[in-house]
Amino acid sequence: MKIVTISREFGSGGRELGKRLAEELNCDYYDKEIIAEIAERCKVNEEYAEYLLSHNFPSSDNITLRNSFHIPATLQMTHIQVLCEQSNVIKEIAKTGRDCVIVGRNADLLLEDYCPYNIFVCADTETKLKRCREYAKDGEVMSDKEILKKMKRIDKNRMKTRAIISDLPWGDKQTYNLIVNITGWKIKDLVPLVAGFVNKWFEEE
Amino acid sequence: MKIVTISREFGSGGRELGKRLAEELNCDYYDKEIIAEIAERCKVNEEYAEYLLSHNFPSSDNITLRNSFHIPATLQMTHIQVLCEQSNVIKEIAKTGRDCVIVGRNADLLLEDYCPYNIFVCADTETKLKRCREYAKDGEVMSDKEILKKMKRIDKNRMKTRAIISDLPWGDKQTYNLIVNITGWKIKDLVPLVAGFVNKWFEEE
């Protein structure tokens, strides 16, 4: 079974690389799908699940439940609980035994026992800024300063989440099999090259 | 012109990867050749040139010159001087306009203007230990503890040398185009995969 995990700096294009890589390898792809499943299980909406997962310290925010008839309308849902559900969902994906690419969510650590091929994607600031400008959601207008602030905040959160579950810092090269700096590349050109590493890695087993 | 630079952790196999990559790309390869040239120019023996280049702080060691007839028998040769000569030699290699792979010596920074493809090679400690045991010089017997100490010392020196010429730390992923963790790989299997990145990179230009 081939499991490829992709960790990435915000704005680097790791998600696009992951999606295209899954197509190239003809296997399943997981990213937002995981959020949807967690939201379903925790009976919160996806945005809130994502909010909790991208912030680090347990808060005591109230969560409005989808089904307010059977369960009380609000509930203290800690980050830890959401993180646990995330861990369950990711492990269940692996248990299906199907080849897949999983983007983010520290899947490399959670699935350590499955020996995934772990890729980290980075890029220089200018490349990431350009990407964020191009891929801004409809109607979202942000200045470069605001994008940089968001970039910093999200990566800092990833760093902090990582620190909870690993001794090695987020992005540390000892943790990954391959670190690809996307600066100067068209992502579509990188896909077959990265797939080459993945295919050879699993062929050896 | 294709210039590939390879930086590496001590014992990771970066030199072997570089040598094989140069064969695969059918281009020149530079590593010890640079030391020989520096030694020639500075009129010191290669071992001493290498010693100076792998230690960081200028010392006032006396150097026995090869030609003691024309020049005084001893000379204060600072590390800075040797580093300068190293820089000259590397820049002259680039000026020839020939494709090449250069291992170590911060060639990635020295040749920044030539836009080389910069690769960093790392591996986990066990892999590096195994490699050092296998490739020990004839008659050299070192305990694992001694190898680890040497490994740490050499990498620390590389880190310090880097800090003199760069704001970004040695091994920092922003500095390289590709970081390959060699753990679990046979180097010969990696060569065509890495060459794929290099060829595509320069094809785009």
Side-chain angles (χ1 to χ4, degrees):
Chain A
M1 179 179 46
K2 293 179 200 172
I3 299 182
V4 179
T5 73
I6 301 206
S7 310
R8 76 288 184 216
E9 290 175 352
F10 180 75
S12 65
R15 179 176 291 166
E16 183 186 336
L17 181 72
K19 214 172 174 76
R20 286 178 182 267
L21 188 62
E23 281 165 23
E24 178 90 10
L25 298 168
N26 194 22
C27 70
D28 296 344
Y29 168 79
Y30 294 99
D31 175 18
K32 295 279 182 194
E33 296 75 3
I34 295 170
I35 298 279
E37 182 62 27
I38 295 166
E40 181 70 31
R41 292 186 188 192
C42 296
K43 308 246 181 302
V44 296
N45 65 44
E46 290 182 28
E47 287 69 25
Y48 196 73
E50 193 157 19
Y51 170 84
L52 285 174
L53 288 168
S54 64
H55 289 73
N56 287 290
F57 299 108
S59 72
S60 56
D61 305 348
N62 283 335
I63 296 164
T64 306
L65 297 177
R66 276 186 182 166
N67 187 337
S68 59
F69 186 74
H70 296 295
I71 316 173
T74 58
L75 181 77
Q76 301 288 358
M77 167 76 73
T78 67
H79 287 179
I80 300 301
Q81 281 174 297
V82 176
L83 282 168
C84 282
E85 208 52 77
Q86 176 171 254
S87 163
N88 291 338
V89 173
I90 289 173
K91 285 179 179 167
E92 286 167 32
I93 289 170
K95 274 187 199 148
T96 64
R98 292 167 58 88
D99 295 348
C100 64
V101 173
I102 306 178
V103 172
R105 324 209 171 283
N106 292 301
D108 57 320
L109 283 181
L110 293 170
L111 300 183
E112 224 170 8
D113 295 346
Y114 292 87
C115 300
Y117 192 74
N118 301 318
I119 300 169
F120 189 92
V121 179
C122 63
D124 67 13
T125 306
E126 193 42 58
T127 303
K128 292 187 283 188
L129 261 178
K130 191 167 168 279
R131 205 178 160 80
C132 289
R133 278 184 224 120
E134 280 169 14
Y135 290 83
K137 287 176 194 156
D138 283 346
E140 191 184 40
V141 183
M142 289 175 90
S143 68
D144 281 0
K145 205 176 158 188
E146 286 169 320
I147 298 175
L148 283 171
K149 212 174 149 188
K150 186 178 177 188
M151 215 182 258
K152 215 168 164 180
R153 179 178 58 76
I154 293 181
D155 283 351
K156 203 171 169 185
N157 279 332
R158 288 178 183 166
M159 224 174 274
K160 282 187 186 171
T161 308
R162 188 79 180 187
I164 297 170
I165 53 173
S166 171
D167 290 338
L168 288 171
W170 178 74
D172 185 281
K173 57 188 177 304
Q174 286 300 337
T175 321
Y176 307 95
N177 297 96
L178 194 67
I179 299 185
V180 183
N181 191 329
I182 257 172
T183 310
W185 286 97
K186 286 177 197 149
I187 291 182
K188 71 172 180 51
D189 288 338
L190 275 172
V191 175
L193 302 171
V194 174
F197 273 81
V198 172
N199 284 325
K200 189 73 192 169
W201 178 259
F202 287 105
E203 184 191 295
E204 293 298 299
E205 280 189 344
Chain B
M1 180 179 46
K2 294 178 198 172
I3 299 181
V4 179
T5 73
I6 301 205
S7 309
R8 76 285 186 218
E9 291 175 352
F10 180 75
S12 65
R15 180 174 292 166
E16 184 186 335
L17 181 71
K19 215 175 174 75
R20 286 178 182 267
L21 188 61
E23 282 166 22
E24 179 88 10
L25 299 170
N26 195 24
C27 70
D28 296 343
Y29 168 79
Y30 294 98
D31 176 18
K32 296 281 184 192
E33 296 75 5
I34 295 170
I35 297 282
E37 183 61 28
I38 296 166
E40 181 72 28
R41 293 184 187 193
C42 297
K43 308 246 180 303
V44 296
N45 66 44
E46 290 182 28
E47 288 69 25
Y48 196 72
E50 193 155 20
Y51 170 83
L52 286 174
L53 289 167
S54 65
H55 289 73
N56 290 288
F57 298 109
S59 73
S60 56
D61 304 348
N62 284 335
I63 296 163
T64 304
L65 297 178
R66 277 186 181 165
N67 187 337
S68 59
F69 185 73
H70 296 296
I71 316 171
T74 58
L75 181 75
Q76 301 289 359
M77 168 74 75
T78 67
H79 286 179
I80 301 301
Q81 282 175 297
V82 176
L83 284 169
C84 283
E85 207 50 77
Q86 177 172 253
S87 164
N88 291 339
V89 172
I90 289 173
K91 286 179 179 168
E92 285 168 32
I93 290 170
K95 274 185 200 151
T96 65
R98 292 167 57 88
D99 295 348
C100 64
V101 173
I102 305 178
V103 173
R105 322 205 173 283
N106 293 301
D108 57 321
L109 284 182
L110 293 170
L111 300 183
E112 224 170 9
D113 294 345
Y114 292 87
C115 300
Y117 192 75
N118 301 317
I119 300 170
F120 190 92
V121 178
C122 63
D124 67 13
T125 306
E126 193 42 59
T127 302
K128 292 187 283 188
L129 261 178
K130 193 167 167 278
R131 203 177 162 81
C132 288
R133 278 184 223 118
E134 280 170 13
Y135 290 82
K137 287 177 193 154
D138 283 347
E140 190 185 40
V141 182
M142 287 174 91
S143 69
D144 281 359
K145 205 177 157 186
E146 287 169 319
I147 299 174
L148 283 170
K149 214 174 146 186
K150 186 179 176 186
M151 215 181 259
K152 215 170 163 178
R153 179 178 58 76
I154 293 181
D155 283 350
K156 204 172 168 185
N157 278 333
R158 287 178 183 165
M159 224 173 277
K160 282 187 186 171
T161 307
R162 188 80 179 184
I164 298 171
I165 52 172
S166 172
D167 290 337
L168 288 170
W170 178 73
D172 185 282
K173 57 189 177 305
Q174 286 300 338
T175 321
Y176 307 96
N177 297 95
L178 193 67
I179 299 185
V180 183
N181 190 329
I182 256 172
T183 309
W185 285 97
K186 286 177 198 149
I187 291 181
K188 71 173 179 50
D189 289 338
L190 275 172
V191 175
L193 302 172
V194 174
F197 273 81
V198 172
N199 284 325
K200 190 74 192 166
W201 178 259
F202 288 104
E203 184 191 294
E204 292 300 299
E205 282 188 346

